[in-house]
Amino acid sequence: MRKLSQGPGAHFRKFLQDWSIPRQIAGASLRDKAAESQTSRDLRPRLEEADRVGTSICPFCAVGCSQLIYAKDGVPIHIEGDPRSPVNQGTLCPKGGGTLGLLLSPKRVTDVLYRAPRSDKWEKKPLEWAMDRIAERVKRTRDETFVEKLPDGRTVNHTLGLGSLGGATMDNEENYLIKKLFGGGLGMLNIENQARI
Amino acid sequence: MALWDLENSDCIVIMGSNMAENHPIAFRFVVEAKRRGATIIHVDPRFTRTSALADLHAPLRSGSDIAFLGGIIHHILENDLWFKEWAMAYSNIAHIIEDSYRGSEDQDGIFSGFDSDAGTYDEKSWQYEDKTVPSSIAEHRASSREGEQGDYRSMSKGPPHLDETLQHPFCVYQIMRRHFARYTPEMVESVTGCPKDTFLKVADALARNSGRERTGAFCYAVGWTHHSVGVQIIRACSIIQGLLGNIGRPGGGIMALRGHVSIQGSTDIPTLYNMLPTYLPQPNAFHDHMSLSAYLKVETPPTGWWNNFPKYMVSLLKAWYGADATPGNDFGYDHLPKLTGDVSQEPMTLCMVDGIVKGQFILGQNPMVGAVNTDMVERGLGRLDWLVVRDMAMIETADFWKNGRLIEKGELTPADIDTEVFFLPCAMPGEKDGTVTNTSRLVQWHDHVCEAPGDCRSDLWFIYHLGRRLKGLYETSTETRDAAIKALTWDYPLKGERREPDAETVLKEINGYTVADRTQVAKYQDLKDDGSTACGGWMYCGIYPEAGKNMARSRRPDTPGGKGAAHLDWAFAWPSNRRTLYNRASADPAGKPWSERKKLIWWDDGAGKWDGDDVPDFVETKRPDMRPDWATQPTGMDALGGDKPFIMEADGYCQLFVPTGLKDGPLPMHYEPLESPVRNPMHGQQHNPTAKIWARPGNELHPPEDPLHPYVFTTYRLTELHCGGISTRIMPHTAELQPEAFVEVSPELAGELGIQHLGWTVLSTSRASIEVRAMVTQRVRPFTIAGRTVHQVGMPWVFGRLGYNPGAVANALLAITGDANTSIHSTKAVTCGLRAGRLTEAERHPGPPQAAE
Ligand code: SF4
């Protein structure tokens, strides 16, 4: 059991242990041994607890700074610039440096929300329910608005009734599948993102 | 050029960008260049941190960039400061243009070929003599009329006509001298407000730092693109760099500083309406695109690298439609939807308002903050049948029906809005893996480190599982209209409990593979047009060249002083892992570097190939002295000699004068912004006659010299807050650092209007009025334009109603308009009214429309 109080002798012994002057007199270096104390001995590198690290790219601007993401028990605990990157050599700007605050922001929404027509509130919904319903709505709108041929007989095979906006914040693989499914599969033309220039 | 190559510049002009604040880490290369002795210049309406770190700040009125750059061109030409050996060999300065060409200087601001009813140009009179020049990006034709393509085969029949004495009145040199004759330093001062002496220092610094031994670079951002003449501003810059020989060489070039993390990737592999992956044109019902063979015939330039176009197109169709894509059915070409007009974001918004778009996905974008004319966007959202929003936190675009501007104004209530809204939370980097492409084409892989919380999923997950469901819903259909979704290849391995699709498999498909044995294609030179190869994006070919080799994952930087420090083993730069495009121009026509100091690649005669510090942007074994055999009517690269670096152009020359590919003229011309406090001081044509204007109630433009809206208004970002999205507004540190929106006003204007520093002001346009506190600062100065004082104000556009630091939405003030070439809106130079005080009750809560009238 931990002692609830320590006698004056214990304090004195700790003081003597941490007192650096005798060690300095004995010739220890001011930069390490002579400066040591119980407090400094108890300091741990903040990443010691990480059980995983991965390379990432800063999610904000197109400079493309590399980051290292450290995680513990599946939760990110620290994000810093990757010193190996010739782009940023370990540095990050205030946005990149604050990335952990994005991943862990209390304002992140982690549920699917649904607003019925004319309703004045959000409702939580299961993800699978929402995916099924979105697929049905896409199919219905597509089937109602699809044009195979113009009045003069030219084949167009398109729908102008569906639109998609966004992409510049996403991965290339994601953009590829969006363009492939929406354009190549469904015949959508209104596909746009922030990259219009 | 690579970002780090800026270190090698001897002069860097930053214009249309506040690089130190908005691309801070890239700016460290500018600082390094300065340390090595380079001259740094910032041309900008405001004095920012970029200006503070520059050697010279040249102020100019927003929207007058072409007058400034045209002045530099004039200065270079009239003082004979251009790099003659480079420009004579590599640019089209000596090309002879059709004698039917008439410059805009002769026609009060309009070039020959203008159809004033249609508001479009016909490019016939802009062509090289006796030729019809195909555009390097086929979609960018001025005319969208059928049968207008002309005889591109003329390019195979002989070299373009040149006058190397530069005396021919229709050679590009003489045309340019006439065109830019009026861009004198005095005119520059009068149009831009930049003092003549300051302007001349910029022009001299650039010219002095160019030539064999020295190179200069330009850096720009959306301060150049978000105009009705955005493309032509960049064109003016390319003319300067083409005259000075600053292309394809170390430290030379034009650096586009783009916004979002993968905005370059989403241009290359475009979620854009007018292109298929890696710059192949989306078929158009009003071009000769009715069959694959017709499409390939009109879109394939006979000469130059783009002659390989059919290989890329057929390989894409194979990647998308797999076994269903056969020569017998045009490889599934008819599955591709055909365009019938501009459906970019601006008209898309109006199509929502008009009930044409009924269902909308919004995937990581927040148009209620980031798009112009917020009230119009909100009206459009409220007329949709359904809306799917995917983001990391609640955004203004998703809860518009509850808290939008129109609700706040009392114009609508939630019960008036029929839109069914789905909000799906998304996974963030670190919670998914994949590649993003940075502003200098560097494609970098990022790892999946943690699982995303709750129902947050990657967009890859969302799109894959939506596609899987839709394929299921259409499985039994026998309708031809459903053939595309049925044929679409959609088998990607799924990982883990959440059944996350494997991003590497998607990247492998983008890279391409041979169909028979599904081995990876190593390089795009191996792609075929017979259906034996599949490739989702030819320019990315080589990123995954063999099984187990993901080049985007490569993480070996060069050591200091290493081979050219091109960092060829750090990730992958498209195309072919090349870091500097057109780097053949870094050597002289004979293949020798222009100087030891600026060497990059060179011809190694012993080895019989190009070698150097970068991957050569040329046919590896083509000798510098190779010349086309015109008797054989050569095609493709055989039509380009060994001294023609610009291989994506049909004749291999850098285009100072553009015969095809621009919708608003072969040379840049100063037009006033669509809204301007002054009449065009240079000619009668006030604004770009081909700009896109959608005039309708709620989207009216202010006339020139409008007394109600006398001030120039511009928008910009802040270091701590990233664009219109919610990300940095829900991050504690960044939100705290920028707690509130503001408008920057000069002390002179503040004095005139009685505005106090930190006091309230009302900014107004015909679209909206907003209230915001004033930052009275000398960073903004009044300009003298054509003898009159013109005030400019500016405001960050990165605030919104949500997050830790709510603030007024600057974009609410702006109108929906489009650049002629790109359809991008004008955000950098419009006009506004300004007063001290707050919104009146009638402005704040006008109520339903009838009550407001
Ligand atoms: S750290 Fe800053 S400069 Fe680097 S990518 Fe992120 S936002 Fe851009």
Side-chain angles (χ1 to χ4, degrees):
Chain A
M1 245 182 93
R2 194 169 159 254
K3 270 199 277 181
L4 289 179
S5 68
Q6 296 174 322
H11 276 300
F12 186 64
R13 273 197 303 279
K14 186 167 180 295
F15 171 75
L16 273 186
Q17 272 168 12
D18 278 358
W19 196 26
S20 62
I21 301 283
R23 277 173 278 155
Q24 284 181 38
I25 293 169
S29 158
L30 262 179
R31 287 172 190 276
D32 46 63
K33 282 294 166 207
E36 222 175 62
S37 71
Q38 193 54 43
T39 312
S40 71
R41 271 191 295 276
D42 287 348
L43 288 175
R44 308 305 316 156
R46 69 186 145 175
L47 298 178
E48 191 179 64
E49 293 186 356
D51 54 27
R52 198 148 185 219
V53 59
T55 64
S56 193
I57 304 299
C58 172
F60 302 105
C61 92
V63 171
C65 297
S66 288
Q67 298 177 325
L68 296 171
I69 300 185
Y70 293 86
K72 180 182 185 246
D73 301 331
V75 179
I77 58 168
H78 181 69
I79 298 179
E80 64 185 24
D82 186 340
R84 298 169 301 170
S85 166
V87 175
N88 57 312
Q89 289 184 324
T91 61
L92 294 172
C93 83
K95 295 183 288 292
T99 310
L100 188 66
L102 175 65
L103 295 188
L104 303 181
S105 174
K107 287 200 180 276
R108 257 185 100 169
V109 176
T110 58
D111 293 304
V112 172
L113 302 177
Y114 175 73
R115 184 260 180 180
R118 297 178 171 256
S119 165
D120 61 358
K121 61 176 190 308
W122 288 112
E123 302 161 56
K124 283 187 191 173
K125 288 285 187 186
L127 178 58
E128 293 298 308
W129 175 89
M131 292 297 292
D132 287 341
R133 174 131 185 113
I134 292 167
E136 280 163 24
R137 298 244 49 182
V138 171
K139 179 169 190 298
R140 200 195 316 161
T141 306
R142 177 180 181 272
D143 292 349
E144 284 167 10
T145 58
F146 199 83
V147 179
E148 278 177 75
K149 288 184 192 309
L150 296 182
D152 66 6
R154 295 174 220 229
T155 303
V156 288
N157 279 335
H158 72 204
T159 168
L160 297 173
L162 290 167
S164 175
L165 193 58
T169 61
M170 288 181 220
D171 294 348
N172 293 318
E173 294 74 15
E174 295 173 329
N175 277 292
Y176 179 72
L177 287 198
I178 293 170
K179 183 76 179 181
K180 182 174 172 182
L181 177 69
F182 287 177
L186 299 176
M188 284 168 59
L189 286 170
N190 298 295
I191 301 174
E192 280 283 285
N193 72 39
Q194 300 93 327
R196 181 121 297 278
I197 283 310
Chain B
M1 68 192 296
L3 281 170
W4 49 74
D5 190 26
L6 285 172
E7 287 180 353
N8 299 317
S9 293
D10 300 295
C11 179
I12 300 175
V13 180
I14 300 162
M15 187 168 168
S17 153
N18 176 7
M19 190 176 180
E21 295 185 50
N22 295 334
H23 296 87
I25 303 298
F27 192 72
R28 70 193 193 88
F29 299 112
V30 177
V31 172
E32 175 60 17
K34 186 178 179 188
R35 198 189 63 79
R36 295 183 189 183
T39 306
I40 313 298
I41 295 164
H42 190 214
V43 186
D44 199 90
R46 281 191 307 153
F47 187 93
T48 65
R49 290 179 179 87
T50 306
S51 331
L53 288 163
D55 296 295
L56 181 64
H57 172 241
L60 91 169
R61 169 178 63 110
S62 283
S64 64
D65 305 63
I66 290 177
F68 192 94
L69 297 167
I72 297 179
I73 297 168
H74 171 84
H75 183 79
I76 292 170
L77 289 173
E78 295 314 313
N79 296 291
D80 240 6
L81 300 172
W82 47 296
F83 183 2
K84 292 206 188 50
E85 290 155 289
W86 194 98
M88 286 298 291
Y90 296 155
S91 83
N92 67 2
I93 196 161
H95 283 48
I96 297 169
I97 304 300
E98 291 288 356
D99 60 12
S100 55
Y101 170 77
R102 290 293 169 275
S104 55
E105 71 278 7
D106 290 342
Q107 310 194 113
D108 214 17
I110 307 258
F111 295 92
S112 52
F114 191 62
D115 173 343
S116 53
D117 295 332
T120 57
Y121 278 107
D122 177 342
E123 301 156 322
K124 277 199 193 80
S125 63
W126 311 348
Q127 300 301 308
Y128 298 156
E129 192 176 60
D130 293 339
K131 305 260 180 226
T132 307
V133 188
S135 168
S136 62
I137 300 264
E139 188 271 334
H140 289 170
R141 283 195 300 260
S143 159
S144 58
R145 284 164 291 205
E146 282 173 90
E148 290 281 326
Q149 283 78 13
D151 180 16
Y152 295 153
R153 281 165 310 167
S154 56
M155 300 302 292
S156 279
K157 293 180 180 153
H161 303 171
L162 311 183
D163 172 21
E164 288 181 339
T165 69
L166 302 181
Q167 296 309 307
H168 192 292
F170 284 91
C171 79
V172 168
Y173 173 74
Q174 294 295 349
I175 287 176
M176 288 207 305
R177 286 193 61 199
R178 292 197 296 274
H179 181 85
F180 291 107
R182 282 177 306 154
Y183 291 69
T184 58
E186 293 72 25
M187 184 61 102
V188 171
E189 175 167 329
S190 162
V191 176
T192 71
C194 178
K196 180 180 143 181
D197 293 346
T198 311
F199 160 76
L200 283 172
K201 278 188 200 152
V202 178
D204 275 333
L206 259 171
R208 211 174 45 245
N209 286 296
S210 303
R212 274 183 186 268
E213 296 287 338
R214 304 180 82 75
T215 53
F218 274 85
C219 300
Y220 76 91
V222 299
W224 266 7
T225 56
H226 283 195
H227 293 278
S228 54
V229 291
V231 170
Q232 293 286 4
I233 297 177
I234 300 159
R235 273 275 302 136
C237 176
S238 7
I239 293 174
I240 295 173
Q241 296 298 62
L243 285 170
L244 296 176
N246 283 328
I247 301 173
R249 304 176 60 208
I254 303 172
M255 174 65 71
L257 294 161
R258 307 200 61 191
H260 288 286
V261 55
S262 198
I263 196 154
Q264 186 60 48
S266 64
T267 315
D268 307 332
I269 303 192
T271 34
L272 295 172
Y273 84 96
N274 53 342
M275 287 185 295
L276 297 168
T278 54
Y279 306 96
L280 310 182
Q282 184 83 31
N284 188 316
F286 301 127
H287 294 174
D288 296 335
H289 287 174
M290 279 302 128
S291 64
L292 178 64
S293 52
Y295 168 86
L296 293 178
K297 180 161 172 266
V298 298
E299 297 300 346
T300 308
T303 55
W305 192 272
W306 273 111
N307 186 242
N308 292 302
F309 172 67
K311 301 172 189 167
Y312 309 147
M313 186 65 197
V314 172
S315 296
L316 175 69
L317 291 168
K318 275 308 278 184
W320 282 13
Y321 303 118
D324 187 73
T326 63
N329 70 355
D330 266 3
F331 296 101
Y333 173 77
D334 266 349
H335 294 332
L336 295 175
K338 290 194 184 64
L339 289 168
T340 46
D342 179 354
V343 285
S344 62
Q345 185 181 343
E346 311 299 333
M348 189 199 291
T349 304
L350 298 172
C351 283
M352 284 186 217
V353 177
D354 295 340
I356 296 168
V357 173
K358 295 174 189 301
Q360 179 77 31
F361 292 93
I362 297 196
L363 312 171
Q365 191 160 350
N366 188 14
M368 286 287 290
V369 173
V372 292
N373 200 337
T374 314
D375 288 3
M376 194 65 86
V377 174
E378 190 173 328
R379 260 176 242 289
L381 295 173
R383 302 224 170 122
L384 294 167
D385 290 349
W386 54 267
L387 168 69
V388 175
V389 175
R390 288 179 49 78
D391 221 301
M392 71 201 75
M394 187 46 61
I395 59 170
E396 290 82 356
T397 302
D399 78 348
F400 73 94
W401 48 270
K402 196 172 169 196
N403 298 315
R405 282 175 51 89
L406 302 179
I407 305 277
E408 195 194 327
K409 285 200 222 172
E411 189 181 322
L412 293 174
T413 68
D416 301 322
I417 297 170
D418 281 329
T419 315
E420 183 176 359
V421 187
F422 302 83
F423 180 92
L424 274 66
C426 69
M428 299 298 300
E431 300 168 349
K432 61 180 184 182
D433 53 10
T435 59
V436 288
T437 306
N438 91 343
T439 199
S440 51
R441 297 174 286 103
L442 194 65
V443 192
Q444 305 183 100
W445 182 268
H446 59 88
D447 293 333
H448 182 174
V449 185
C450 316
E451 283 304 344
D455 283 339
C456 299
R457 295 290 182 276
S458 69
D459 295 285
L460 201 68
W461 184 97
F462 172 74
I463 200 76
Y464 170 77
H465 288 286
L466 179 64
R468 183 177 60 73
R469 282 174 167 81
L470 283 161
K471 280 183 78 79
L473 292 174
Y474 282 108
E475 197 171 6
T476 54
S477 168
T478 51
E479 304 269 346
T480 50
R481 51 161 55 190
D482 301 332
I485 179 76
K486 292 182 70 181
L488 202 70
T489 58
W490 207 250
D491 10 85
Y492 301 100
L494 304 180
K495 298 186 300 192
E497 246 171 57
R498 290 181 168 180
R499 303 204 295 148
E500 176 73 22
D502 179 41
E504 276 210 323
T505 306
V506 181
L507 184 61
K508 284 175 170 167
E509 176 177 323
I510 295 171
N511 176 88
Y513 54 87
T514 51
V515 172
D517 56 3
R518 236 194 138 101
T519 53
Q520 292 301 104
V521 172
K523 53 187 192 304
Y524 51 78
Q525 289 85 344
D526 296 342
L527 295 173
K528 302 276 182 337
D529 62 2
D530 59 4
S532 62
T533 56
C535 173
W538 72 273
M539 285 179 182
Y540 279 55
C541 194
I543 194 167
Y544 214 115
E546 57 188 79
K549 191 166 180 187
N550 180 351
M551 300 273 287
R553 230 179 183 148
S554 166
R555 287 290 183 278
R556 284 194 306 276
D558 293 349
T559 47
K563 189 184 174 192
H567 304 291
L568 293 178
D569 291 322
W570 184 272
F572 175 85
W574 66 260
S576 306
N577 203 26
R578 179 173 298 132
R579 307 297 157 122
T580 299
L581 294 179
Y582 296 135
N583 58 26
R584 163 70 183 89
S586 70
D588 67 13
K592 269 185 37 213
W594 290 101
S595 66
E596 183 60 24
R597 188 165 178 261
K598 295 288 170 180
K599 69 174 191 206
L600 186 56
I601 73 157
W602 49 86
W603 174 253
D604 180 341
D605 210 27
K609 67 183 185 70
W610 290 90
D611 195 5
D613 297 337
D614 193 5
V615 177
D617 190 359
F618 213 55
V619 179
E620 205 189 359
T621 54
K622 181 183 276 199
R623 300 181 54 83
D625 56 8
M626 175 271 175
R627 295 291 174 270
D629 178 3
W630 294 109
T632 63
Q633 301 216 355
T635 59
M637 288 300 288
D638 292 342
L640 266 50
D643 57 350
K644 299 286 173 282
F646 292 83
I647 60 172
M648 304 309 276
E649 302 296 349
D651 64 353
Y653 287 92
C654 167
Q655 294 188 342
L656 305 179
F657 182 99
V658 175
T660 312
L662 290 167
K663 294 180 173 137
D664 48 1
L667 289 170
M669 176 86 222
H670 170 74
Y671 296 113
E672 282 297 319
L674 294 175
E675 291 183 346
S676 170
V678 297
R679 294 270 164 198
N680 192 337
M682 299 201 68
H683 45 71
Q685 180 62 36
Q686 174 72 6
H687 59 70
N688 183 348
T690 58
K692 297 186 182 180
I693 294 172
W694 290 277
R696 55 151 80 195
N699 196 51
E700 295 94 347
L701 296 180
H702 306 153
E705 299 180 314
D706 181 1
L708 291 175
H709 304 104
Y711 311 119
V712 178
F713 178 75
T714 195
T715 63
Y716 40 85
R717 299 208 263 131
L718 300 168
T719 307
E720 295 81 4
L721 297 184
H722 189 61
C723 299
I726 193 73
S727 57
T728 41
R729 293 186 276 135
I730 60 161
M731 283 161 53
H733 295 85
T734 46
E736 190 176 344
L737 287 164
Q738 290 291 359
E740 195 177 349
F742 55 89
V743 57
E744 288 186 58
V745 182
S746 69
E748 290 83 353
L749 182 60
E752 246 176 60
L753 300 176
I755 292 172
Q756 304 294 320
H757 181 55
L758 301 184
W760 286 100
T761 70
V762 174
L763 282 159
S764 55
T765 64
S766 63
R767 282 76 61 177
S769 296
I770 58 173
E771 66 177 21
V772 61
R773 286 184 198 268
M775 163 89 73
V776 177
T777 169
Q778 300 210 7
R779 295 191 297 230
V780 201
R781 313 291 313 134
F783 293 101
T784 305
I785 306 298
R788 265 181 43 201
T789 300
V790 170
H791 289 285
Q792 171 152 357
V793 298
M795 181 181 167
W797 62 276
V798 290
F799 291 91
R801 159 167 58 73
L802 296 168
Y804 291 121
N805 51 350
V809 174
N811 275 327
L813 296 170
L814 305 183
I816 294 177
T817 59
D819 170 275
N821 293 287
T822 61
S823 296
I824 192 62
H825 43 224
S826 294
T827 66
K828 300 306 168 195
V830 303
T831 57
C832 74
L834 175 68
R835 65 168 202 258
R838 307 198 67 159
L839 289 171
T840 62
E841 179 56 23
E843 286 169 325
R844 201 182 298 274
H845 300 121
Q850 54 274 39
E853 275 156 20

